[in-house]
């Protein structure tokens, strides 16, 4: 159960849930290409951010609707989505979420709820405006954000994961 030790020392890791194999893979693939929501959240500390989204296709462009925005997906991500995906749970790791001014174009507006200074990094938990979910962002050690402040979150859309809302299985092809 010590995932940090397994990630640093292992060459092959087996993730089980209630005795059922979820994924057997290298540490890097478990982290970067989880086969399901359970593996995505189990590997990594803090856990992967998850949020509901709707996948739309219009005029040859694949977009997601989330946090009151419609965001065009980078071709590298859109091209890996399994055909027919419409509603999904999207996931993104804290290191792919950075802080920015809330008025920045494309920023997800949020309010800082928890600020965790950890020495070399600070984790900022932000509740998304108008939504019932939070993001965790990895920020600089000397991050000046305080709980209650309005913040912007910039997501690296190239690093999104998508999971089936019912089964939790990945919607991305290798």
């Amino acid at each position: 159960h010590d995932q940090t030790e397994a990630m640093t020392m292992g060459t092959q890791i087996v993730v089980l849930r209630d005795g059922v194999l979820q994924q057997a893979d290298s540490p890097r693939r478990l982290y970067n290409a989880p086969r399901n929501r359970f593996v995505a959240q189990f590997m990594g500390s803090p856990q992967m951010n998850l949020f509901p989204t709707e996948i739309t296709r219009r005029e040859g462009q694949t977009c997601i609707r989330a946090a009151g925005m419609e965001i065009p997906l980078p071709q590298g991500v859109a091209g890996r989505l399994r055909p027919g995906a419409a509603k999904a749970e999207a996931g993104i790791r804290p290191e792919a979420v950075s802080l920015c001014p809330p008025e920045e174009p494309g920023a997800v507006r949020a309010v800082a709820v928890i600020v965790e200074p950890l020495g070399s990094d600070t984790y900022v938990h932000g509740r998304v405006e108008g939504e019932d979910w939070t993001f965790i962002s990895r920020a600089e050690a000397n991050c000046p954000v305080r709980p209650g402040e309005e913040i912007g979150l910039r997501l690296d859309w190239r690093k999104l994961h998508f999971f089936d809302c019912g089964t939790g299985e990945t919607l991305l092809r290798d």
Side-chain angles (χ1 to χ4, degrees):
H1 285 283
D2 187 343
Q3 61 175 284
T4 302
E5 184 176 351
M7 293 286 286
T8 58
M9 297 180 68
T11 56
Q12 183 82 357
I13 300 173
V14 175
V15 179
L16 300 172
R17 181 181 186 189
D18 299 327
V20 177
L21 175 68
Q22 300 297 302
Q23 187 171 348
D25 226 322
S26 70
R28 181 167 288 165
R29 288 219 16 102
L30 285 171
Y31 191 78
N32 294 323
R35 287 195 187 145
N36 60 41
R37 180 179 42 234
F38 178 80
V39 173
Q41 288 203 284
F42 186 75
M43 302 307 294
S45 180
Q47 294 182 348
M48 179 181 282
N49 296 294
L50 294 172
F51 58 99
T53 188
E54 187 178 334
I55 301 167
T56 61
R57 290 173 182 84
R58 187 177 34 192
E59 299 174 15
Q61 177 71 55
T62 302
C63 301
I64 63 167
R65 283 193 191 132
M69 300 186 303
E70 186 166 87
I71 300 108
L73 287 177
Q75 187 53 41
V77 175
R80 294 179 52 222
L81 269 172
R82 292 196 173 133
K87 288 193 183 263
E89 194 165 27
I92 191 164
R93 299 260 180 221
E95 61 271 18
V97 180
S98 56
L99 300 177
C100 65
E103 61 277 356
E104 181 177 295
V108 175
R109 296 175 72 92
V111 172
V113 178
I114 299 170
V115 178
E116 295 179 274
L118 299 173
S120 61
D121 295 312
T122 298
Y123 289 118
V124 178
H125 301 244
R127 177 156 307 282
V128 175
E129 202 172 84
E131 303 291 342
D132 190 27
W133 32 278
T134 59
F135 273 105
I136 301 173
S137 172
R138 179 181 287 161
E140 300 172 0
N142 60 350
C143 175
V145 172
R146 301 286 174 252
E149 283 184 42
E150 188 175 4
I151 57 174
L153 301 170
R154 184 184 313 118
L155 282 64
D156 184 343
W157 303 110
R158 298 167 300 164
K159 299 199 175 165
L160 281 176
H161 298 266
F162 292 94
F163 304 100
D164 182 278
C165 291
T167 66
E169 296 300 310
T170 186
L171 295 173
L172 295 176
R173 297 179 285 211
D174 284 332

